[in-house]
Amino acid sequence: MASKGMNKINRIRTFALSLVFIGILVMYIGIFFDSSPLIMTISMIIGFVFVISSSGIYFWIGMISTNTVKVECPGCGKVTKVLGRVDACMYCDEPLTLDPELEGKELDSSYNRGSSRHKS
């Protein structure tokens, strides 16, 4: 998991930020269709929906972030948030778990899915 990537909270925030840029790009492309008000209006509305959905995602992840467990990363020593059974450190991407059954195992993000909770 450490080679794959980021902390779940950071991944969702990155997705929300990309929605902002995609929305602005779609609205900017709509400017080039000023000869067709219908296409320009549709692109502005679609871009606006992207930006508003990004705000919703930021709000949602902010609410989730307030309820996460804070732990000290054994790798870098900084306090990080763990979302789910398996997550990565927000700073050094070290795999972290709160489940004693998973300690010492190769951690995989599939442990967060409900169907794999009962596997050994």
Side-chain angles (χ1 to χ4, degrees):
M1 182 171 159
S3 63
K4 272 196 242 182
M6 291 194 303
N7 176 280
K8 284 180 236 157
I9 294 173
N10 286 345
R11 205 174 324 147
I12 295 170
R13 286 178 181 158
T14 302
F15 174 70
L17 182 64
S18 67
L19 279 179
V20 170
F21 288 123
I22 290 169
I24 291 172
L25 180 68
V26 168
M27 287 189 279
Y28 185 73
I29 289 171
I31 293 173
F32 294 114
F33 293 101
D34 59 348
S35 61
S36 174
L38 181 67
I39 295 174
M40 186 172 91
T41 304
I42 290 171
S43 68
M44 293 293 175
I45 290 172
I46 291 171
F48 182 71
V49 167
F50 277 127
V51 173
I52 292 301
S53 64
S54 168
S55 299
I57 291 172
Y58 271 121
F59 178 77
W60 171 67
I61 196 62
M63 291 293 106
I64 288 175
S65 181
T66 60
N67 295 327
T68 56
V69 179
K70 294 180 183 177
V71 296
E72 184 175 336
C73 176
C76 64
K78 295 181 180 177
V79 177
T80 187
K81 296 177 180 180
V82 176
L83 185 63
R85 292 176 69 197
V86 176
D87 205 352
C89 175
M90 294 174 106
Y91 305 100
C92 67
D93 288 336
E94 181 168 332
L96 301 171
T97 183
L98 296 174
D99 193 353
E101 295 176 6
L102 298 177
E103 287 184 20
K105 291 184 180 180
E106 181 70 27
L107 298 180
D108 187 13
S109 62
S110 66
Y111 288 127
N112 289 324
R113 295 185 184 94
S115 61
S116 64
R117 289 189 181 190
H118 302 292
K119 293 181 181 177
S120 303

